Amino acid sequence: MTGAGPSHEETVISAIRKTLTATAVATAVLTGAVACGTAENLSAGQKLDRAFDKLGKEHSASFELDLDADATTLKSLDKGAAPGDEMPDQVAKLLADARISLSVQSKKPLDESGEKDITGMTVKVSSTDADLIEYRIVGDYAYLHANANANANANANANASASASAMAAQTGSPLPAAEDLPESATAFKHLLNGKWIKVPAKDLKSSVTGPQTSQTTPDADTQSKLSKALRGVITRQVELKNVGEKDGVDHITATASVRTLLSELLKEVRPFTKGLPPGAALPSDDDLKKVPDQKVTADFALKNGKLSEVSLDLAKFTQNAKVTKLALVLRVAKAEPTTAPAGAVEVPMAELVQGFTGAPAPDGQSPAL
């Protein structure tokens, strides 16, 4: 690759980031809006508090996240982008169709659970037609499966080249055929052929996080002070409102100006930065000026007092008059047990890292089974 311009992968990552960064920030802020202030906020806030308390007492939960928008709408958000930095058609379709789901089970109630209490977890990225990528943790192992044959018009005897082409069409990124990979790339060959692979969970965690040589979470005193400060800001800046019941589901809205809310939150957070983990850099004032000064509204759906869905309306936040429907939707339910897939093939962690990053195996060793 030359230095003439962004690679295809960089373009894809940039497109995804531009589409999802604002939505993730806004959702994280508004889903924390359970503090109370006015009489209206008191009633709505109490309902949300109780709903989150009920969720915390569960031993399992599943969360599904998707964008309520079509590919044309997502493409329209990219008008004015620099040449070569536009959102590819395949990425727009993938984002419009994709769903990200997480399910978790614990020995303890979720609000009391630590990492050692989790008995099973599943993360899936799906399209309207199939599960594209699935990741599970069960016991001492992490499992990975990639549906390279999703949406392929091929029969059971189709070769790996057809499978790779199908996934490339879904993601907009080219994939090699299994037979074109070197002998050492066993893990990727298994993935491209639709097999489950597994690695020790401790090895995967170590590879992702690296050696833990310093504190990675704020101490209890810092957490308490920070939580109190942030709840105070939310009390002042977020308007909660009961909007009534529809089809047996109670709805509560939370509305806030995103730039103002983020500015106030950061004012409270900055005095605590010495107690935060290393590398937890905060946005600057200049960064905040790039955030549109628009109000956004999150709709919380409560069924039988339990949180069932959160929908964040982002149409105005895009500052594009042609965008009339764009929402980020989070659905909440009880999780099914996570089980270990049968026939999973164990592969060395070094080989998996090398396959994904292209980096050499540790200590210069060639990965092999």
Side-chain angles (χ1 to χ4, degrees), residues 321-335:
K322 293 184 178 180
V323 176
T324 58
K325 182 182 180 182
L326 175 62
L328 189 67
V329 181
L330 176 69
R331 299 177 183 86
V332 184
K334 191 170 182 177

Side-chain angles (χ1 to χ4, degrees), residues 163-356:
S163 299
S165 297
M167 182 171 277
Q170 283 282 333
T171 63
S173 297
L175 290 175
E179 64 266 22
D180 293 333
L181 294 173
E183 288 297 323
S184 61
T186 312
F188 256 59
K189 286 187 177 183
H190 288 319
L191 284 175
L192 290 176
N193 284 322
K195 293 183 179 180
W196 280 93
I197 63 172
K198 67 178 183 178
V199 296
K202 61 180 179 61
D203 291 351
L204 180 63
K205 179 181 177 183
S206 176
S207 175
V208 172
T209 62
Q212 300 300 305
T213 57
S214 59
Q215 180 181 334
T216 57
T217 58
D219 59 46
D221 184 56
T222 298
Q223 290 185 50
S224 177
K225 291 179 180 178
L226 186 56
S227 176
K228 184 177 180 180
L230 297 183
R231 286 176 69 89
V233 172
I234 292 173
T235 300
R236 298 190 300 271
Q237 299 295 336
V238 178
E239 178 187 359
L240 299 177
K241 183 178 180 181
N242 283 298
V243 294
E245 190 174 296
K246 182 179 180 181
D247 298 328
V249 178
D250 200 12
H251 289 267
I252 295 170
T253 60
T255 303
S257 168
V258 176
R259 186 194 294 174
T260 301
L261 182 56
L262 288 177
S263 297
E264 292 298 313
L265 289 172
L266 287 173
K267 285 180 184 178
E268 298 293 344
V269 169
R270 286 194 173 103
F272 295 96
T273 52
K274 290 183 179 179
L276 294 176
L282 298 176
S284 66
D285 290 338
D286 286 339
D287 291 331
L288 290 178
K289 290 178 182 177
K290 299 174 185 177
V291 178
D293 193 16
Q294 293 284 343
K295 285 189 175 183
V296 294
T297 297
D299 182 293
F300 294 81
L302 278 57
K303 190 171 184 178
N304 298 324
K306 293 184 178 181
L307 182 66
S308 61
E309 184 174 295
V310 183
S311 178
L312 183 63
D313 184 1
L314 295 164
K316 291 183 179 179
F317 196 63
T318 66
Q319 295 188 313
N320 187 325
K322 293 184 178 180
V323 176
T324 58
K325 182 182 180 182
L326 175 62
L328 189 67
V329 181
L330 176 69
R331 299 177 183 86
V332 184
K334 191 170 182 177
E336 295 296 325
T338 297
T339 58
V345 180
E346 185 169 356
V347 299
M349 188 66 231
E351 179 184 320
L352 194 59
V353 171
Q354 184 181 26
F356 276 110

